[in-house]
Amino acid sequence: MDGFLVGMVGAVLLASLLPNLGRTGGWLHLDVVGDVGVFLIFFLHGMGLSPRNLMHGASRWKLHLVIQLCTFVVFPLWWLALNLAVGRYIPHDLLLGFFYLAVLPSTVSSSVAMTSLARGNVAAAVLNATLSTLLGVALTPLLASLVFGSSADGSAMDLGHTMLKVARMLLLPFVLGQVLRPLLGTLFQRIKPITTKVDRGVILLLVLCSFSDSVADGLWSKHGIGLMAMTAVGVSLFLFPLLWVTRRVARAMGFPIEDEIVAVFCGSKKTLASGVPMARLLFGGNPSMGVLVLPIMFYHQLQLFVCSVLAKRYAERQ
């Protein structure tokens, strides 16, 4: 079993049993550790992305446009359709969590890895995944403010203040990582296995803090195990339709199979690595944050499993 999945399950269980351990202001003071961790994660993202990769495959502008529209337009519109159809049956905090999932950028590492495994256009995958990450730093808070800013449950967002926090906690470390990349890039590549563990470790601490706050606020007494089942069904209603849409659009536009693979894997994925830290920045202090990040935790595991199967099938083509 994936060790990271085990870690996330363990964090949820620990938060459920000992919420005072990881809650804001609790024994471990993870709220303070979390702010440092978010800065560190985006610094590492800046160190890990090569600007030169953005130049490869740049001529496939129709492919790039399709992927970015799927990521930041089709996903939110699909959420709106589902909200109109079944939103009244879903707990409000979880419904907002699905919207947060819908406005997140695509992944970087797994999108490129799946494209490579499927024998797709790796250069275009790198460009799109990187571009999605850069756009997400600005677009995700902006799109989130459209819904969270008008909610009546106390989770309203001040867009100006939010964008300042984004600039300070996400954009600044990312740019700093890019600036230092020529000096430290070689060292970064040598210690990448360690930085990957640090990245995942910080995410687990943020999950622990988020769920501890939510458990202390009555997560299980208000919702129970039904919340998990509802989340599992909900993420399936996002992933499978978007996989179908990206594939159909790619074929309708006459993309070669290598570009179709990029459209499918980059256009349907959502990032956990940036999603949890960004949620910490946008919704930190909200006792419902554990529910807000629940969809992206479930979606992450489902997309890895399903896309691995699809990648192997693509790779077997003649």
Side-chain angles (χ1 to χ4, degrees):
M1 182 181 292
D2 180 18
F4 188 50
L5 172 59
V6 173
M8 284 200 295
V9 172
V12 171
L13 291 176
L14 183 59
S16 300
L17 296 173
L18 297 170
N20 287 327
L21 184 67
R23 67 180 299 184
T24 299
W27 303 339
L28 296 180
H29 297 284
L30 291 185
D31 48 320
V32 178
V33 176
D35 290 340
V36 177
V38 170
F39 192 96
L40 177 61
I41 282 178
F42 279 85
F43 173 76
L44 294 176
H45 284 181
M47 286 289 295
L49 294 177
S50 171
R52 184 173 58 186
N53 287 332
L54 289 173
M55 303 304 298
H56 295 291
S59 62
R60 311 275 203 215
W61 66 270
K62 290 183 180 179
L63 171 62
H64 310 324
L65 183 61
V66 165
I67 292 172
Q68 301 309 320
L69 286 176
C70 282
T71 301
F72 295 111
V73 178
V74 176
F75 261 99
L77 290 177
W78 182 238
W79 174 87
L80 180 61
L82 291 176
N83 180 34
L84 292 174
V86 298
R88 60 186 178 275
Y89 304 114
I90 301 175
H92 182 66
D93 293 334
L94 184 61
L95 191 63
L96 292 179
F98 281 121
F99 181 75
Y100 180 62
L101 166 69
V103 299
L104 282 173
S106 183
T107 64
V108 176
S109 57
S110 64
S111 292
V112 175
M114 295 298 178
T115 300
S116 177
L117 177 61
R119 296 193 288 129
N121 187 338
V122 175
V126 172
L127 187 149
N128 275 284
T130 305
L131 180 60
S132 181
T133 297
L134 296 175
L135 291 173
V137 171
L139 288 180
T140 296
L142 180 62
L143 292 171
S145 71
L146 298 178
V147 169
F148 287 88
S150 60
S151 65
D153 65 343
S155 61
M157 295 172 60
D158 180 335
L159 181 58
H161 180 63
T162 298
M163 295 308 293
L164 285 176
K165 288 198 298 181
V166 167
R168 185 178 70 252
M169 295 296 294
L170 304 187
L171 190 57
L172 175 61
F174 187 91
V175 171
L176 186 61
Q178 286 282 287
V179 170
L180 294 178
R181 181 180 169 84
L183 298 175
L184 302 177
T186 302
L187 174 63
F188 179 82
Q189 290 301 320
R190 287 205 302 264
I191 65 172
K192 193 168 184 179
I194 298 176
T195 61
T196 299
K197 291 179 181 179
V198 170
D199 185 276
R200 291 190 169 194
V202 171
I203 292 173
L204 292 178
L205 290 177
L206 295 176
V207 169
L208 175 60
C209 183
S210 301
F211 268 86
S212 295
D213 284 342
S214 293
V215 171
D217 190 55
L219 170 65
W220 299 126
S221 61
K222 292 178 181 178
H223 302 295
I225 198 66
L227 186 73
M228 296 292 185
M230 196 174 295
T231 304
V233 173
V235 297
S236 299
L237 291 177
F238 274 92
L239 179 61
F240 291 108
L242 265 296
L243 285 171
W244 182 83
V245 166
T246 51
R247 189 173 187 177
R248 295 296 300 174
V249 169
R251 293 187 175 182
M253 297 187 69
F255 290 165
I257 187 67
E258 292 79 10
D259 286 358
E260 175 190 315
I261 290 169
V262 179
V264 169
F265 291 136
C266 291
S268 65
K269 282 178 168 287
K270 291 292 181 176
T271 176
L272 176 72
S274 297
V276 173
M278 197 178 294
R280 168 74 191 176
L281 176 65
L282 299 178
F283 316 121
N286 187 328
S288 300
M289 200 174 90
V291 181
L292 295 177
V293 300
L294 198 59
I296 183 57
M297 291 170 58
F298 274 66
Y299 194 88
H300 173 76
Q301 299 303 327
L302 182 63
Q303 72 182 2
L304 286 180
F305 175 76
V306 174
C307 290
S308 294
V309 174
L310 285 178
K312 290 176 182 177
R313 290 183 178 178
Y314 272 122
E316 292 169 355
R317 71 184 185 277
Q318 298 298 321

